[in-house]
Amino acid sequence: MCLGIAGRIVAFDAARPDVASVAVEGVARDINIGLLEGLEVGDWILIHLGFALETMTAEEAADSVDMLRTIGPNGDVETAGEPEPPATPERARAPWESEPAPWAKART
């Protein structure tokens, strides 16, 4: 299953016509809009892997955001609304690493 996220176009990049600044949950991200035509500032788009795949209505975007909030951070309806547990050295360690990642080490 693929996950698409709703975002709203906030600006275009004149130097890069296939890129727009898009607000996703209040964070601006550069998104490739080359697959779509006729976009304007304020339009809602469905984003997957940094590419705008289709336009959305404001209502569709709101429904999409509500659904993601319902699912919760762990993809589980039962944990919806709960904050993600903090990263611990054990959780931050990649399977191939014998030591915790530098940012996961406890500060002394």
Side-chain angles (χ1 to χ4, degrees), residues 19-79:
V19 175
S21 180
V22 178
V24 177
E25 289 292 302
V27 177
R29 302 172 186 274
D30 286 345
I31 301 296
N32 186 305
I33 57 168
L35 298 173
L36 303 177
E37 296 178 352
L39 296 174
E40 298 179 6
V41 171
D43 284 350
W44 287 94
I45 56 175
L46 180 68
I47 304 162
H48 178 67
L49 294 174
F51 290 86
L53 299 181
E54 65 182 58
T55 58
M56 308 174 77
T57 66
E59 183 178 323
E60 289 170 330
D63 289 346
S64 173
V65 170
D66 288 344
M67 177 57 71
L68 290 174
R69 287 187 180 138
T70 299
I71 293 172
N74 299 319
D76 183 356
V77 174
E78 293 172 6
T79 62

